[in-house]
Amino acid sequence: MSEPAHDGRLRLLVLFGGVSAEHDVSCVTAAHVLAAADRTKYELIPVGITRDGTWIRNDKAIAALAEATPALPDSLEPEGTEVEPLVEIAGDGDRPTVVLPLLHGPHGEDGTVQGMLELAGVPYVGSGVLSSALCMDKAMAKIVAAQAGIPQCRWIEFRAGTGETAPLVERTIAELGLPVFVKPANLGSSVGISKAHDAAELAEAIELALRYDEVVVIEEAVTAREVEVAVLGNLVPEASVAGEIRPGSEFYDYADKYVNGAAALVIPADLPPAESDRVRELAATIFSTLRCSGMARVDFFYEEGGRGWLLNEVNTIPGFTPASMYPKLWEASGLSYPALIDRLVELASERHAIRSGFSVDH
């Protein structure tokens, strides 16, 4: 049974799971959000998307949280009553609804779900269709950032079907040298990413990345610190303090993020005040340049004594557990995890109100 409705509560539909390789990460994130959200303010509606794309209303999640069940990720596997997406999103019409998509990766973070929510006319947390799709596609984001004059490391884009792997390996070594990082263009959480130290590893890394996406991005490996900034807002974004990641392995991979917790998060990052101000300003500029809204985490390389700040990537639905960098950066900036959820809901409503006010007359 769902919780009884109370006057004045906003209906907050938490959307999680999904069909991408980041399904499990999304479920864990949803567990923490549902546990932290203020149920005196929100009627929480957990909706899971199974790996085959079925939408499930999962009220068991709320019951598990009320009992403080320790195995929250397991309890949030999408099990419950199958629902029609647009019907569930619309609700019964007697209270405002805001959707909080916690869908990492393709078919969630890439503008597809955002487009559906736009057609449904429902406010939702995070960036719109264009920005979501742009930031999800690492190759296109790099092209736009380069046009805007934003500094980045050197890179090569490769599309499946445009050539053989052997010439690409030769070109990469000639243009970027070794080692290099190889990434699927449209995926996150370090899934499918490899560091290649020689030609054989590079060929294997390209084949691995092509299992996840038809576009591959190959980047030079830079000797640099990894620094991230959380950005919050719509037209006038705010940047958090900067935080540094010190990987527990050769790079900040999936195991570092979600399995062994070996990476160290240093918040705030030990930076000269001028550099701290510079990276925060640059993060806000990138947020606006890529037309983000609501939230985004902007990741940088800091090449001390060299090129300085280099954009790595932008995540429009960043990791959102209390142990994730995005909420921790805001906590260090004076905004608690529950307050951050509240602010994101407010920003979603504000953005929807502004866009709904535009004329559609021809």
Side-chain angles (χ1 to χ4, degrees), residues 213-356:
D213 192 33
E214 62 184 15
V215 179
V216 169
V217 172
I218 306 174
E219 299 174 348
E220 65 169 321
V222 297
T223 302
R225 296 164 64 181
E226 296 186 45
V227 175
E228 300 181 349
V229 178
V231 184
L232 183 67
N234 288 328
L235 297 178
V236 184
E238 301 175 69
S240 72
V241 300
E244 182 176 359
I245 294 172
R246 294 178 181 169
S249 54
E250 192 169 9
F251 67 97
Y252 193 38
D253 59 8
Y254 186 94
D256 251 11
K257 291 179 180 180
Y258 304 112
V259 180
N260 56 36
L265 307 183
V266 181
I267 304 173
D270 183 14
L271 296 167
E275 293 297 341
S276 179
D277 292 343
R278 170 60 181 149
V279 74
R280 294 175 69 228
E281 177 184 357
L282 187 56
T285 297
I286 292 167
F287 184 92
S288 297
T289 298
L290 300 182
R291 298 195 183 174
C292 300
S293 55
M295 65 175 169
R297 195 192 69 235
V298 186
D299 301 349
F300 295 93
F301 297 121
Y302 182 40
E303 197 176 65
E304 295 177 283
R307 291 169 290 180
W309 294 107
L310 303 171
L311 172 64
N312 179 12
E313 63 183 43
V314 179
N315 289 272
T316 54
I317 304 183
F320 206 81
T321 73
S324 299
M325 183 64 104
Y326 187 88
K328 287 179 75 69
L329 287 171
W330 279 116
E331 183 179 29
S333 303
L335 193 64
S336 69
Y337 191 69
L340 177 58
I341 295 171
D342 292 343
R343 182 63 184 137
L344 288 170
V345 171
E346 291 170 3
L347 288 168
S349 299
E350 289 173 11
R351 178 178 178 273
H352 181 73
I354 292 171
R355 292 179 63 83
S356 298

Side-chain angles (χ1 to χ4, degrees), residues 17-39:
V19 300
S20 82
E22 298 174 82
H23 176 98
D24 293 337
V25 175
S26 175
C27 291
V28 174
T29 300
H32 290 284
V33 169
L34 290 167
D38 187 345
R39 278 180 268 175

Side-chain angles (χ1 to χ4, degrees), residues 21-361:
E22 298 174 82
H23 176 98
D24 293 337
V25 175
S26 175
C27 291
V28 174
T29 300
H32 290 284
V33 169
L34 290 167
D38 187 345
R39 278 180 268 175
T40 67
K41 296 179 181 178
Y42 310 115
E43 178 192 4
L44 297 174
I45 310 294
V47 176
I49 301 177
T50 66
R51 289 181 173 85
D52 66 3
T54 303
W55 286 50
I56 301 293
R57 170 75 176 263
N58 187 355
D59 292 324
K60 293 180 180 179
I62 298 296
L65 292 167
E67 298 169 4
T69 305
L72 289 178
D74 291 338
S75 71
L76 284 176
E77 284 298 320
E79 297 174 355
T81 304
E82 184 173 348
V83 295
E84 291 292 332
L86 292 178
V87 173
E88 188 64 30
I89 287 168
D92 55 17
D94 67 347
R95 67 180 62 241
T97 294
V98 171
V99 178
L100 175 52
L102 298 173
L103 300 167
H104 305 296
H107 304 293
E109 194 176 351
D110 60 356
T112 50
V113 167
Q114 288 75 13
M116 180 189 67
L117 296 173
E118 291 282 356
L119 290 173
V122 176
Y124 58 91
V125 170
S127 292
V129 176
L130 173 62
S131 180
S132 296
L134 179 60
C135 293
M136 189 73 225
D137 190 314
K138 297 178 180 68
M140 290 306 302
K142 286 180 179 295
I143 291 170
V144 173
Q147 181 67 26
I150 294 167
Q152 307 174 82
C153 63
R154 296 176 299 137
W155 61 283
I156 292 172
E157 173 190 358
F158 175 73
R159 293 176 59 88
T162 60
E164 298 297 325
T165 300
L168 176 61
V169 169
E170 293 178 3
R171 177 191 169 195
T172 298
I173 295 173
E175 294 184 16
L176 304 182
L178 290 169
V180 291
F181 285 97
V182 183
K183 307 176 179 180
N186 288 277
L187 208 58
S189 294
S190 300
V191 175
I193 295 180
S194 306
K195 186 175 183 179
H197 302 81
D198 56 37
E201 287 186 359
L202 178 54
E204 291 175 2
I206 292 168
E207 293 302 319
L208 173 63
L210 286 172
R211 295 178 197 167
Y212 293 97
D213 192 33
E214 62 184 15
V215 179
V216 169
V217 172
I218 306 174
E219 299 174 348
E220 65 169 321
V222 297
T223 302
R225 296 164 64 181
E226 296 186 45
V227 175
E228 300 181 349
V229 178
V231 184
L232 183 67
N234 288 328
L235 297 178
V236 184
E238 301 175 69
S240 72
V241 300
E244 182 176 359
I245 294 172
R246 294 178 181 169
S249 54
E250 192 169 9
F251 67 97
Y252 193 38
D253 59 8
Y254 186 94
D256 251 11
K257 291 179 180 180
Y258 304 112
V259 180
N260 56 36
L265 307 183
V266 181
I267 304 173
D270 183 14
L271 296 167
E275 293 297 341
S276 179
D277 292 343
R278 170 60 181 149
V279 74
R280 294 175 69 228
E281 177 184 357
L282 187 56
T285 297
I286 292 167
F287 184 92
S288 297
T289 298
L290 300 182
R291 298 195 183 174
C292 300
S293 55
M295 65 175 169
R297 195 192 69 235
V298 186
D299 301 349
F300 295 93
F301 297 121
Y302 182 40
E303 197 176 65
E304 295 177 283
R307 291 169 290 180
W309 294 107
L310 303 171
L311 172 64
N312 179 12
E313 63 183 43
V314 179
N315 289 272
T316 54
I317 304 183
F320 206 81
T321 73
S324 299
M325 183 64 104
Y326 187 88
K328 287 179 75 69
L329 287 171
W330 279 116
E331 183 179 29
S333 303
L335 193 64
S336 69
Y337 191 69
L340 177 58
I341 295 171
D342 292 343
R343 182 63 184 137
L344 288 170
V345 171
E346 291 170 3
L347 288 168
S349 299
E350 289 173 11
R351 178 178 178 273
H352 181 73
I354 292 171
R355 292 179 63 83
S356 298
F358 292 137
S359 174
V360 294
D361 295 335

